[in-house]
């Protein structure tokens, strides 16, 4: 089931403890653009189908990445794209957005997403995997 735009942003806003929907949307746009650069094929398309249209388009038309980013570099890249962000605030942004994405994806699709990402992304999605 696809989340409505407002419902998605409300979840990100609540989890990120943002004061305004604009802050939540800014975080969502950056994180989804970076995430989209790491996903390919049917998995990316299926995930996009679970997101509101505006955010699905961002995921499907990502920023370019020359190589997969480790979770730490993903957070640093997020910080670089959000004006005034630090690595600590970017980690918060990533967590707020990706935990919302994880809820929208559901368990099975999230497992497929995690298979395309470097080790450690399960923590960014708020879904630690057993080792």
């Amino acid at each position: 089931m696809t989340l409505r735009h407002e419902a998605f942003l409300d979840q990100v806003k609540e989890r990120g403890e943002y004061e305004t929907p604009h802050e939540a949307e800014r975080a969502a746009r950056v994180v989804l653009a970076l995430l989209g650069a790491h996903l390919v094929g049917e998995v990316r398309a299926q995930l996009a189908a679970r997101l509101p249209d505006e955010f699905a388009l961002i995921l499907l038309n990502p920023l370019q990445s020359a190589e997969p980013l480790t979770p730490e570099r993903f957070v640093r890249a997020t910080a670089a794209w959000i004006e005034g962000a630090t690595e600590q605030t970017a980690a918060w942004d990533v967590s707020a957005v990706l935990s919302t994405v994880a809820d929208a994806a559901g368990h099975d699709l999230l497992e497929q997403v995690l298979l395309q990402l470097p080790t450690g992304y399960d923590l960014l999605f708020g879904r630690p995997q057993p080792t």
Side-chain angles (χ1 to χ4, degrees):
M1 183 174 101
T2 303
L3 279 176
R4 288 187 2 259
H5 185 267
E6 297 81 20
F8 184 87
L9 275 185
D10 285 348
Q11 286 183 20
V12 172
K13 183 176 180 277
E14 179 181 318
R15 292 174 184 186
E17 297 180 10
Y18 300 109
E19 292 185 18
T20 68
H22 175 74
E23 291 174 291
E25 184 157 352
R26 178 185 62 188
R29 288 176 170 279
V30 170
V31 171
L32 290 171
L34 288 168
L35 179 62
H38 290 76
L39 301 177
V40 295
E42 189 63 26
V43 170
R44 185 168 63 184
Q46 287 178 17
L47 184 57
R50 308 252 177 117
L51 299 176
D53 289 344
E54 182 178 345
F55 295 120
L57 289 174
I58 293 168
L59 187 75
L60 293 171
N61 297 291
L63 297 169
Q64 296 303 308
S65 179
E67 62 185 63
L69 299 176
T70 64
E72 296 80 16
R73 288 182 58 211
F74 188 92
V75 170
R76 283 197 296 270
T78 301
W81 280 94
I82 297 177
E83 185 179 334
T86 65
E87 284 188 38
Q88 289 79 16
T89 62
W92 192 264
D93 295 331
V94 169
S95 174
V97 175
L98 292 185
S99 65
T100 303
V101 168
D103 287 349
H107 178 75
D108 292 341
L109 180 55
L110 182 60
E111 290 295 318
Q112 293 176 44
V113 167
L114 290 172
L115 288 174
Q116 291 192 7
L117 299 170
T119 302
Y121 272 80
D122 56 329
L123 298 175
L124 296 182
F125 281 92
R127 303 296 197 280
Q129 301 292 307
T131 54

